[in-house]
Amino acid sequence: MSATLVLAIIVAIGVVAFVIGRQRAVAQRDGAAKSHSLPSYHGWWAFLLATVPAILFLLVWALGSNLYADNLIGSQLPANISTGERSLALGMIDRTAQALGALEIHNADALPKTYAELIPQASQVGVLLASQGQDYMLPIALSVNETALFLGRLGGGIAIILALAGAAIGLSMVQPRARARNNVERIMLWALFGASGIAIATTIGIVLSMLSETMTFFSEVNPMNFFFGTVWDPRFAAAGSGGSEGQFGLIPLLAGTLYIALVSMLVAVPVGLMSAIYMGEYASPQVRSIVKPVLELLAGIPTIVYGIFAAVTLGPFLRDLSAALAGGTGFIQAQSVFTAGFVMGVMLIPLVSSLSDDVITAVPRAMRDGSLGLGATRSETIKRVILPAALPGIVGALLLTASRAIGETMIVVLAAGVAARLTLNPFEAMTTITVKIVNQLTGDLEFNSPQTLVAFALGLTLFVITLGMNVFALWIVRRYREQYE
């Protein structure tokens, strides 16, 4: 019994409990006793009692089943397998179990004689197996599937019984004075609290995972050389070589990140802010209803498309244009800070425009009318009243936009290159922290080598920078927003 089928049955039981509970609550509203809750609340309480405990049990059962399957595989592995080969063997057995399930092999009689015979059969059903597999993995994988099938049926049956029991309890609680509304609202409150907790726990988990690997990196590389180094030369070492040579200077990457972000902001801020002023103060409702959605279409374009445009069209065009102006070798490279910043700025225009427009339109109408009533023109009202009133929100929007620019990757890879250098010339290539994170985590490298662990140090640095900018932007908005409400 698949988990999807069990989940569908549980939801169906909940829906039936909702309908019956609501109808029963309606039938009991005879006017003799005042009802505490509306009929729909009684139905929702029956639905929640039927579904929530059963679904939670399914999640716990699935987790326990996976742990039991891992222990079962580990207990059947040959004793001569080393610790380093153990995790690889576990993964290969799990993949073999998937292949046997896809081939619908559920007994030892249909099991292939050797692992090599299973490889072409598995490829026909879309499961690719490693050629290094051993024959002993076949019976272990079969036992894993048999155990998983038994545990799935047992867990599904228990979950359905729990759903039926919950529905029966919920329907038995339908009474005119039953506090179904309080129960439903309490469950929803805990659900909202859990959703917030998941977001917070995810953020903490990301930080802790990066922090642990960063500390390992700093145990091999001096933090002073990382934060204040001006040379980025990690000198990739092949897996197994144990090489840890190289220079991991952050300054060139940080300079490139801030430089490209600055150029993008110089493009996005004027255009986005002026378009926001036009749509908020000058455009008619008909024009606004057309211009605003069209402008925000830019936000829906994937960043890889912007990067391809920069690498294929804009970069070569600027290079050829500079060559024509110089009468020889062009002074603008195809991959440059200017190219990446310009394209990224175009991508950020909708963000600046949308956030600024919301801030400008939130300025009270009385401030506009008061300024116009005193004889000020519309442009003077915008310059001396509306923009000062909306300035805290606009500054917060710009800081949020800057943090978005700092975290961009694909446009920089294609439009600015991967050269880590220090230069003030915007027409030369530079790179950013995000690009080097991708480079360091790809390739034939040992995970515990400094060349790989430096990616976590770069990620944590970037996280701190963007977090600081976001917190500062939110502080500005909250600090000054109430002055104009």
Side-chain angles (χ1 to χ4, degrees):
M1 185 179 298
S2 65
T4 305
L5 178 59
V6 175
L7 185 62
I9 294 175
I10 292 174
V11 173
I13 294 173
V15 172
V16 173
F18 172 83
V19 174
I20 297 176
R22 187 178 184 279
Q23 291 177 348
R24 183 173 297 182
V26 171
Q28 293 179 359
R29 300 184 70 180
D30 54 2
K34 183 178 180 181
S35 299
H36 178 274
S37 305
L38 294 175
S40 59
Y41 282 107
H42 292 280
W44 280 116
W45 179 236
F47 175 86
L48 292 174
L49 286 179
T51 57
V52 173
I55 293 175
L56 291 178
F57 171 79
L58 274 182
L59 295 177
V60 175
W61 185 269
L63 180 61
S65 300
N66 291 334
L67 294 176
Y68 179 78
D70 292 341
N71 292 332
L72 178 64
I73 296 174
S75 64
Q76 299 183 35
L77 289 177
N80 58 351
I81 292 183
S82 63
T83 304
E85 298 174 346
R86 189 178 182 87
S87 60
L88 180 61
L90 292 175
M92 295 177 66
I93 292 174
D94 182 68
R95 192 69 174 174
T96 304
Q98 295 180 21
L100 295 178
L103 292 170
E104 298 183 356
I105 297 176
H106 304 299
N107 55 72
D109 296 335
L111 199 66
K113 301 300 181 183
T114 62
Y115 186 89
E117 295 180 10
L118 180 62
I119 295 178
Q121 300 178 23
S123 63
Q124 294 177 359
V125 293
V127 181
L128 300 179
L129 298 178
S131 59
Q132 298 87 352
Q134 303 296 323
D135 294 341
Y136 74 85
M137 297 180 179
L138 296 178
I140 298 177
L142 182 61
S143 66
V144 168
N145 284 346
E146 293 175 350
T147 304
L149 181 61
F150 171 76
L151 293 177
R153 291 175 176 175
L154 179 61
I158 296 175
I160 292 175
I161 294 174
L162 285 177
L164 292 173
I169 295 173
L171 294 177
S172 66
M173 296 175 61
V174 178
Q175 300 294 334
R177 298 303 300 167
R179 298 179 179 273
R181 183 190 65 197
N182 295 356
N183 296 331
V184 172
E185 291 180 349
R186 189 180 299 111
I187 294 295
M188 295 307 301
L189 177 62
W190 280 104
L192 296 175
F193 178 79
S196 303
I198 290 175
I200 296 174
T202 302
T203 304
I204 295 175
I206 292 173
V207 173
L208 292 179
S209 63
M210 290 193 299
L211 184 61
S212 61
E213 303 298 340
T214 300
M215 297 306 296
T216 305
F217 169 74
F218 285 142
S219 65
E220 301 183 29
V221 177
N222 190 340
M224 299 298 293
N225 295 336
F226 173 75
F227 288 108
F228 300 100
T230 58
V231 177
W232 176 265
D233 184 17
R235 300 181 187 176
F236 282 86
S241 65
S244 60
E245 300 178 354
Q247 301 181 66
F248 303 91
L250 174 66
I251 298 300
L253 307 183
L254 183 60
T257 301
L258 298 179
Y259 202 175
I260 295 175
L262 175 62
V263 175
S264 66
M265 293 298 290
L266 292 177
V267 175
V269 171
V271 178
L273 188 56
M274 286 189 291
S275 63
I277 294 173
Y278 170 75
M279 288 187 296
E281 300 299 324
Y282 290 100
S284 62
Q286 294 79 10
V287 174
R288 178 185 172 86
S289 63
I290 298 175
V291 174
K292 189 175 177 64
V294 171
L295 183 62
E296 292 181 348
L297 282 177
L298 294 174
I301 300 176
T303 57
I304 185 63
V305 176
Y306 284 105
I308 294 174
F309 168 74
V312 176
T313 304
L314 184 61
F317 171 77
L318 294 177
R319 179 196 58 198
D320 297 339
L321 178 62
S322 64
L325 295 176
T329 303
F331 56 88
I332 302 179
Q333 299 181 10
Q335 290 184 325
S336 64
V337 173
F338 178 78
T339 304
F342 182 84
V343 175
M344 193 185 302
V346 174
M347 180 195 69
L348 295 176
I349 287 175
L351 184 59
V352 178
S353 175
S354 179
L355 294 176
S356 301
D357 178 55
D358 293 339
V359 174
I360 291 174
T361 53
V363 175
R365 185 68 189 178
M367 299 183 68
R368 296 179 174 84
D369 296 340
S371 176
L372 296 174
L374 292 174
T377 63
R378 177 172 291 187
S379 61
E380 291 174 338
T381 300
I382 295 173
K383 182 174 63 175
R384 297 183 180 275
V385 177
I386 296 176
L387 289 182
L391 186 60
I394 293 176
V395 172
L398 298 184
L399 289 175
L400 292 174
T401 305
S403 65
R404 172 68 178 85
I406 290 175
E408 178 55 40
T409 302
M410 294 309 304
I411 293 178
V412 181
V413 171
L414 297 176
V418 296
R421 64 176 70 174
L422 286 171
T423 179
L424 293 176
N425 188 353
F427 302 132
E428 294 182 359
M430 293 183 73
T431 193
T432 62
I433 294 176
T434 55
V435 173
K436 288 305 177 183
I437 291 175
V438 176
N439 289 344
Q440 300 305 121
L441 290 178
T442 56
D444 189 14
L445 288 172
E446 291 183 343
F447 184 80
N448 58 353
S449 66
Q451 287 83 3
T452 300
L453 294 177
V454 69
F456 295 93
L458 294 173
L460 188 60
T461 303
L462 188 64
F463 176 83
V464 172
I465 293 174
T466 55
L467 178 64
M469 295 184 66
N470 290 339
V471 171
F472 184 59
L474 294 176
W475 178 82
I476 289 179
V477 173
R478 294 177 179 177
R479 173 66 177 82
Y480 297 100
R481 178 179 53 192
E482 294 182 356
Q483 293 185 6
Y484 310 109
E485 291 181 349

